[in-house]
Amino acid sequence: MVGSRARIRRGEKFAMLTNCRRGAFSVLSILALSSVLNAQPASEQAAASADKLSVHWEELTASDFREGIRRSQGTCLLPFGILEKHGPHLPLGTDLLDVRYAALHAAEEEYAVVFPEYYFGQIAEARHEPGTMSYSRNLQLALLQETTDEMARNGCKKVLIVNGHGGNEHLLPYFAQSQLDKPHDYVVYVFDERTPQHGGPAKKTTIDMHAGESETSKMMISRPDLVHPDRATNESGADQARQKLPEDVYTGIWWYTRFPFHYSGDGSAATKELGEYQMKWWIDSVVTAIRAVKADDVSLKLQNEFYEKSTHPLDTQP
Ligand SMILES: [Zn+2]
């Protein structure tokens, strides 16, 4: 029965094809005529194809890149990750994989051009663990400056750094501040939030700073295939609290004194539900940041005013 039904279908298809062929000339003529009547200027055609523009910098052709910059109003994202140990159960690239997931989804919702994989940040505190790529401080700053300079030379007059790595929390504001040392024709913005303070499924753990409940949950959304929940209790992520100093006295070794295994929290408490909530929050937050950056017409103007005044500070009036 199945065979004969299939044969009938093939026969029907053949009849349809021959009918189509018979009418081919007239259909082609109509198509040709309508394309002449509907002839669009090149710019409009480009705008039409813009609907399918990738948000990935490296996936765009040179001419589509030009269209991407126009469509993003010169707003480009630089998702910033790192290569470091993430407990016994998450991959070295966790921060990069997570932040790119959030940034790419946000850019799909509110168009922006997203720079390729970038992981050249501050991670000296994990040099004792395998797989850590820890660049010198001079190179971190020089490479980031040349990267944003080059992005701006290509039309990214608003560079939004989306940080995925806690160890960059001082580097990035310092980098943004250092943009005032000499004139730049673009603005560096930093967005440095990854986890909502409240809301969503109740959390089971209180210490949750690195490869713990939240970060493991988010990885269950971005790359579930790379999460090894069965290994999450192989090492301790407890706070060892070995340094006795007031909270407002800072040392670089503070992290190692508390979490020597580069693990803070308990990844075995992670759930997909928490990951879904937190990742959605993160994506929504980046969307909000992109929109705010696009709407910002003050920063560059005042930055230029500042640069000009800074060339003759004695003339500056209160
Ligand atoms: Zn991390």
Side-chain angles (χ1 to χ4, degrees):
M1 285 294 285
V2 173
S4 62
R5 207 179 270 180
R7 268 197 297 277
I8 291 167
R9 287 225 181 101
R10 272 201 292 276
E12 285 170 353
K13 238 183 217 171
F14 179 74
M16 283 166 68
L17 280 172
T18 45
N19 286 342
C20 287
R21 255 184 229 129
R22 237 176 270 138
F25 177 73
S26 56
V27 169
L28 281 176
S29 308
I30 291 164
L31 282 174
L33 184 63
S34 67
S35 72
V36 170
L37 291 173
N38 296 325
Q40 287 176 307
S43 59
E44 278 180 41
Q45 284 172 5
S49 66
D51 292 335
K52 294 166 201 148
L53 274 185
S54 171
V55 300
H56 296 250
W57 181 301
E58 69 276 20
E59 291 181 4
L60 296 163
T61 65
S63 65
D64 283 348
F65 180 84
R66 188 186 291 123
E67 176 57 22
I69 292 297
R70 188 201 64 76
R71 190 165 163 190
S72 69
Q73 299 161 48
T75 302
C76 302
L77 305 188
L78 178 57
F80 202 138
I82 206 79
L83 293 175
E84 61 166 329
K85 179 183 175 185
H86 271 78
H89 61 294
L90 294 181
L92 297 167
T94 291
D95 290 353
L96 187 67
L97 295 164
D98 269 350
V99 73
R100 288 190 62 78
Y101 185 93
L104 288 165
H105 279 81
E108 298 276 359
E109 205 172 317
E110 181 65 42
Y111 191 86
V113 177
V114 181
F115 193 81
E117 280 80 357
Y118 194 93
Y119 50 85
F120 313 103
Q122 191 296 122
I123 189 55
E125 67 274 24
R127 290 172 67 94
H128 62 306
E129 297 287 5
T132 302
M133 289 300 291
S134 170
Y135 296 92
S136 68
R137 62 183 157 185
N138 289 346
L139 185 58
Q140 289 169 43
L141 288 166
L143 189 59
L144 188 52
Q145 189 70 68
E146 290 209 13
T147 300
T148 58
D149 284 354
E150 278 297 281
M151 289 173 77
R153 193 177 64 79
N154 281 287
C156 301
K157 299 305 178 191
K158 295 175 171 183
V159 177
L160 174 57
I161 300 176
V162 183
N163 186 29
H165 168 53
N168 285 339
E169 64 185 339
H170 304 298
L171 172 73
L172 294 178
Y174 177 68
F175 176 72
Q177 285 175 313
S178 71
Q179 300 311 296
L180 301 182
D181 64 2
K182 64 177 184 187
H184 297 277
D185 66 345
Y186 65 97
V187 179
V188 169
Y189 304 80
V190 178
F191 180 74
D192 194 9
E193 298 289 341
R194 291 171 289 286
T195 309
Q197 295 303 313
H198 42 72
K203 280 174 56 177
K204 296 171 228 145
T205 58
T206 47
I207 294 175
D208 183 26
M209 293 167 74
H210 184 70
E213 185 177 1
S214 292
E215 199 163 37
T216 307
S217 297
K218 280 196 279 277
M219 273 300 282
M220 286 175 166
I221 303 305
S222 62
R223 285 297 301 271
D225 56 314
L226 301 180
V227 181
H228 307 279
D230 52 315
R231 301 185 204 169
T233 52
N234 287 0
E235 292 172 21
S236 169
D239 187 351
Q240 300 202 5
R242 295 180 292 180
Q243 197 181 44
K244 309 296 175 206
L245 284 172
E247 254 185 45
D248 51 2
V249 176
Y250 189 92
T251 66
I253 198 69
W254 77 271
W255 177 261
Y256 183 83
T257 67
R258 292 180 64 181
F259 308 106
F261 309 120
H262 228 64
Y263 186 19
S264 164
D266 181 0
S268 72
T271 62
K272 211 171 155 232
E273 290 67 38
L274 184 65
E276 265 164 13
Y277 178 80
Q278 292 199 350
M279 197 51 100
K280 185 181 181 310
W281 177 90
W282 195 1
I283 293 166
D284 290 347
S285 301
V286 177
V287 168
T288 302
I290 297 171
R291 288 183 179 145
V293 164
K294 281 184 179 174
D296 174 30
D297 57 4
V298 169
S299 298
L300 186 59
K301 202 174 80 188
L302 292 184
Q303 210 171 270
N304 287 333
E305 179 186 303
F306 168 86
Y307 292 138
E308 197 283 321
K309 279 187 180 176
S310 68
T311 61
H312 51 94
L314 298 187
D315 302 331
T316 301
Q317 299 300 320

